[in-house]
Amino acid sequence: RRVSRSSRCSRRGAMPPAKAENHGGRVTISALFFFQFIALAAQGRFLAIFFAEFGLTNEEIGLVLAAGTAVGMVSVSFWAGITDYFKAKRAVLLVTVASASVSVNLYLVPNVWPALQAPGVMLIWMVSIRVVYSFFFTPVNAILDALAVSSLADPHDYGRCRLWGAVGWGLCNALVIGPLLDRTGAWVMAPLFSLFSFILLVLVFVLVKPPQVDAQPPKVDAGKVDEGQLSVEKV
């Protein structure tokens, strides 16, 4: 049988199905890590400046950050247990990222509600928001790690995908947050986090497939099996 040149070229250029699926998995995980670390950068390195602009002292800033860290350590185990029990990485990611995105904007409420600017009240408000944010967003990294390990065919691809997280962190700090802080002030970190986490939320919704329920094999009634369908090997 003769095969045309165009068909032979298309076969040579086509990626094998296994490699194509693996490549798609790498792109998905890399994109998720990239935007997760971009969002994390908006609540990371310059957070002390963010709280200082709201009038918190150095001791109060340390208390706010410590409270978030303590709650984050507990929340990782909590959400990891929920994820493993219900086999719902996608659903948990959607809930945690969306909740963190909303909670961060509550930092800005004292700007429009002066009653929260009173001494002591501001500290309680900031600690509360930091605790809620850490409860929801701290486990995102662990869940994405688990998603990467279960999705990537080649274990060596994990490092390549995680590298894009470091790229996102560096680019966001150097090219986005730093210049914006000089021009607008640290308050912009809250809406920036919401923007980047919303992009992460969309990517999770679109790219991460929901778990598929295994189809149950059809039940066979032993009384209805024809004898002709049974084959017995005689020795």
Side-chain angles (χ1 to χ4, degrees), residues 62-146:
L63 179 60
V64 172
L65 297 178
T69 302
V71 171
M73 294 172 61
V74 177
S75 68
V76 170
S77 300
F78 172 80
W79 286 110
I82 295 294
T83 302
D84 291 339
Y85 184 80
F86 292 101
K87 308 298 181 183
K89 296 183 182 69
R90 180 176 184 267
V92 171
L93 282 175
L94 291 175
V95 170
T96 53
V97 174
S99 301
S101 178
V102 173
S103 65
V104 162
N105 286 287
L106 297 178
Y107 282 132
L108 305 179
V109 172
N111 291 336
V112 296
W113 193 0
L116 294 176
Q117 299 178 8
V121 178
M122 175 70 80
L123 175 61
I124 296 174
W125 181 260
M126 291 299 175
V127 169
S128 301
I129 303 306
R130 185 64 182 175
V131 164
V132 173
Y133 160 82
S134 299
F135 177 77
F136 286 110
F137 199 72
T138 302
V140 171
N141 187 53
I143 299 173
L144 282 182
D145 281 342

Side-chain angles (χ1 to χ4, degrees), residues 127-208:
V127 169
S128 301
I129 303 306
R130 185 64 182 175
V131 164
V132 173
Y133 160 82
S134 299
F135 177 77
F136 286 110
F137 199 72
T138 302
V140 171
N141 187 53
I143 299 173
L144 282 182
D145 281 342
L147 181 65
V149 171
S150 61
S151 301
L152 297 173
D154 186 357
H156 296 89
D157 288 336
Y158 172 81
R160 303 185 185 100
C161 296
R162 190 62 183 265
L163 176 63
W164 285 101
V167 172
W169 170 273
L171 290 178
C172 188
N173 279 304
L175 303 180
V176 180
I177 297 180
L180 282 178
L181 257 63
D182 293 335
R183 296 185 179 183
T184 64
W187 66 269
V188 77
M189 294 171 62
L192 276 179
F193 175 84
S194 294
L195 173 62
F196 296 137
S197 60
F198 177 76
I199 297 175
L200 176 62
L201 190 70
V202 172
L203 291 177
V204 171
F205 184 80
V206 174
L207 299 180
V208 179

